[in-house]
């Protein structure tokens, strides 16, 4: 069974409904959206401000590019759009910088990264030591950090340390919150 495609009238109705929902947002809802936008924009280059994320999310909701599923609140819907926009921005930056190639294909370009210099190694070691100290009392967080430092994937970390998917995800959220409170941006996907 194929999913039902929205007709032009359905799309127009959804856009009109979204416009009414946005007009009805309370001041508290707007403050929440601004706070979410600030969190999502944290660490992004200066050409992508929090207001740009919020405005683009609203624009996509109003032009019908993104349509709110039934049962999802407007704030949660716009927060999801901002999350995707920030992720797209990071992916584009990584792709432009040549940090990784998702296809795994070798197109003949020299994409090798030179070996890190001693100064960079020192900074990395200091950062890892600070993270170890920050998460010293949290066994699961320490295990995840060790796995990340070893270059393991999420699945490999879970298998190596016997963590369930729920334990892994909740520990990552706990780590992210602590890092954000410390003013450190979380860059792991």
């Amino acid at each position: 069974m194929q999913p039902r495609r929205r007709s032009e009238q359905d799309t127009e109705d959804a856009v009109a409904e979204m416009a009414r929902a946005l007009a009805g947002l309370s001041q508290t809802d707007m403050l929440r959206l601004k706070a979410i936008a600030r969190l999502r924009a944290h660490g992004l280059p200066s050409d992508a401000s929090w207001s740009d994320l919020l405005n683009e999310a609203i624009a996509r909701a109003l032009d019908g590019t993104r349509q709110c599923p039934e049962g999802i609140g407007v704030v949660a819907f716009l927060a999801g759009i901002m999350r995707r926009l920030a992720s797209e921005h990071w992916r584009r930056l990584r792709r432009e910088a040549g940090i990784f190639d998702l296809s795994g294909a070798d197109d003949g370009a020299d994409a090798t990264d030179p070996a890190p210099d001693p100064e960079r190694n020192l900074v990395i070691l200091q950062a890892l030591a600070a993270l170890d100290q920050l998460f010293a009392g949290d066994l699961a967080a320490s295990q995840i950090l060790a796995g990340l430092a070893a270059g393991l994937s999420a699945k490999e970390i879970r298998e190596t340390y016997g963590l369930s998917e729920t334990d892994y995800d909740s520990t990552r959220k706990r780590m992210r919150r602590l890092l954000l409170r410390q003013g450190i941006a979380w860059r792991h996907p």
Side-chain angles (χ1 to χ4, degrees), residues 67-143:
Q67 294 183 358
C68 186
E70 286 188 40
I72 302 293
V74 176
V75 174
F77 173 63
L78 291 173
I81 294 174
M82 287 187 280
R83 179 183 52 82
R84 284 184 285 282
L85 288 169
S87 294
E88 288 171 8
H89 193 80
W90 281 116
R91 259 187 248 116
R92 184 175 59 252
L93 288 173
R94 286 186 199 121
R95 192 172 41 248
E96 289 171 359
I99 292 175
F100 65 89
D101 179 14
L102 291 177
S103 68
D106 183 15
D107 59 358
D110 185 16
T112 58
D113 190 21
D117 61 310
E119 257 184 44
R120 185 171 176 199
N121 282 337
L122 179 63
V123 169
I124 290 170
L125 289 174
Q126 288 173 340
L128 287 173
L131 287 173
D132 282 340
Q133 185 177 13
L134 190 61
F135 296 110
D138 190 341
L139 178 64
S142 297
Q143 291 171 333

